[in-house]
Amino acid sequence: MHKVVIHKAGGYEQLTLETHPVPEPGDRQVLIRTEAVGVNYADICVRWGVYEAARRFVGWPITPGFEYAGRVEEVGREVRHLKPGDAVFGVTLFNGYSTHVCAPADLVWPKPEALDYEAAAGFLAVHLTAYHGLLQNVVIRPGMRVLVHSAGGGVGSALVQLCKLHGLDTTGVVGASHKVEYVRRLGADAVIDKSTHSLWREARRLCPDGYDLIFDANGPETLAQSYAHLRPTGKLLVYGFHTLLPKRGGRINYLKAALGMLKMPRFNPLLMTAENRGVVAFNLSFLFGRADLLQAAVNDLTAWVDEGKIAVPKVRSFALVDVAEAHRALESGETTGKLVMRTAPPS
């Protein structure tokens, strides 16, 4: 099989495509021949050597990748719900950038018919993150006011759709004008283009009393003001720190990263109690041990896709051999929707 391997932290040059033996599934595992695999910002953090779960669970060398879609090649002897030839998609704690994935059977599900392999490969990581943040961390009520940063990206796109599906008044924030119409088509009630407007002046104009929920993966650039723009009982939901990791040519600028750490807000529980506001932080890779939560999320998400309640995500695809180009595109901040890599040979 072929897989991307990173032997040490660094730039795009650390992404090497290597040949390795195909793994054999254990009793409760499934071997999948992938057709496509998802590309996520967490994969870039893995390459930089700053992703906590990668350091804790794997170390070097490592194959990045959290999601894939393909066909079952072999199942372990205790697996009953899948068989060879089944079209599936799933999540994996790394090792996704590969032509073959050996995964726990309870993290593999039948692929929705509404999604082709490329769309399916880019579906789970962002939608599970959005679902967990919105539907497993807070209690929502129709009409709540929500602000979604990076609304044109993978998780942001999923959040906008899930918010609208549940009757929430949703404002999306984008960093480039070409993303505005895309986020509007997802259903956002308003879109703030921070490349042409003052983000917080517009946010305050649209919701003078403050937001019930704000989803923020930016880091020190926006976290303090996001918290300040919550209404009483509001929640700030944090799932990333993109602006903490400024980069150039695929490498982290460590001086700017250190300055970013100094700007990271500290939330005081005493003040949070007095202001009646909260902060919730989460990370999908540390949720893999909760198959019950993941299964509940996948059940709902696949039903909504099949019923047409969630639009098929916009996908841009690369070949596995062009993994560096995929990382470069995602780092640019110019993309919308999801990036995936094709792993099956051309037909």
Side-chain angles (χ1 to χ4, degrees):
M1 72 177 189
H2 300 288
K3 67 177 181 177
V4 174
V5 181
I6 303 171
H7 290 272
K8 64 179 181 179
Y12 307 127
E13 74 283 355
Q14 299 300 332
L15 297 162
T16 60
L17 187 61
E18 299 179 358
T19 301
H20 289 259
V22 175
E24 294 185 5
D27 290 348
R28 299 180 181 179
Q29 292 184 318
V30 179
L31 176 66
I32 298 98
R33 175 47 166 105
T34 63
E35 295 280 340
V37 300
V39 181
N40 294 283
Y41 194 79
D43 306 335
I44 294 171
C45 294
V46 170
R47 193 191 78 231
W48 287 334
V50 297
Y51 199 73
E52 173 62 23
R55 293 200 304 263
R56 184 181 302 185
F57 299 133
V58 182
W60 305 111
I62 189 170
T63 293
F66 290 96
E67 57 184 344
Y68 59 86
R71 290 192 177 275
V72 174
E73 277 204 351
E74 188 178 349
V75 300
R77 61 182 180 180
E78 295 184 20
V79 177
R80 299 287 180 266
H81 69 292
L82 297 168
K83 64 183 185 303
D86 284 351
V88 296
F89 66 164
V91 291
T92 176
L93 193 56
F94 313 110
N95 295 311
Y97 285 17
S98 178
T99 59
H100 292 77
V101 170
C102 197
D106 57 0
L107 298 181
V108 183
W109 299 277
K111 180 181 73 67
E113 292 185 5
L115 302 181
D116 62 23
Y117 282 109
E118 290 186 9
F123 183 83
L124 281 174
V126 295
H127 284 83
L128 287 173
T129 299
Y131 185 103
H132 182 64
L134 180 65
L135 300 171
Q136 293 178 333
N137 269 294
V138 295
V139 177
I140 60 172
R141 298 175 301 280
M144 291 175 78
R145 306 293 296 272
V146 184
L147 183 75
V148 179
H149 288 282
S150 305
V155 176
S157 298
L159 279 167
V160 169
Q161 292 197 77
L162 291 182
C163 285
K164 294 311 301 175
L165 181 62
H166 289 84
L168 310 186
D169 186 288
T170 307
T171 296
V173 179
V174 298
S177 297
H178 71 274
K179 299 183 179 184
V180 172
E181 186 55 34
Y182 172 70
V183 175
R184 284 202 180 111
R185 289 198 303 269
L186 294 174
D189 298 282
V191 182
I192 301 172
D193 177 3
K194 63 182 181 182
S195 72
T196 59
H197 293 79
S198 167
L199 165 57
W200 298 115
R201 186 180 299 120
E202 281 296 293
R204 194 175 302 110
R205 182 185 69 81
L206 291 167
C207 192
D209 296 329
Y211 293 87
D212 296 287
L213 304 173
I214 297 182
F215 288 87
D216 194 333
N218 288 330
E221 179 182 282
T222 54
L223 280 175
Q225 283 299 310
S226 288
Y227 180 81
H229 283 75
L230 294 173
R231 68 182 300 182
T233 74
K235 302 291 188 298
L236 170 60
L237 294 108
V238 182
Y239 60 96
F241 304 91
H242 292 180
T243 63
L244 185 62
L245 302 169
K247 62 275 183 186
R248 182 181 303 158
R251 296 180 180 274
I252 295 177
N253 183 323
Y254 285 99
L255 176 59
K256 288 186 178 180
L259 293 174
M261 281 295 294
L262 295 176
K263 296 178 182 178
M264 188 72 73
R266 270 60 173 174
F267 298 105
N268 186 320
L270 289 174
L271 291 178
M272 291 165 64
T273 302
E275 295 165 346
N276 202 11
R277 301 171 180 170
V279 178
V280 179
F282 58 95
N283 180 332
L284 183 64
S285 64
F286 287 97
L287 193 64
F288 280 29
R290 291 296 305 274
D292 57 328
L293 295 179
L294 293 175
Q295 184 64 60
V298 171
N299 288 346
D300 283 343
L301 290 167
T302 54
W304 293 332
V305 167
D306 286 333
E307 293 166 8
K309 294 179 178 178
I310 297 179
V312 175
K314 179 180 178 181
V315 171
R316 179 180 174 188
S317 65
F318 299 78
L320 187 62
V321 70
D322 296 325
V323 57
E325 292 304 314
H327 275 216
R328 185 177 287 111
L330 189 56
E331 286 180 32
S332 74
E334 296 299 314
T335 61
T336 55
K338 273 303 302 262
L339 305 185
V340 304
M341 293 185 293
R342 305 178 304 276
T343 58
S347 56

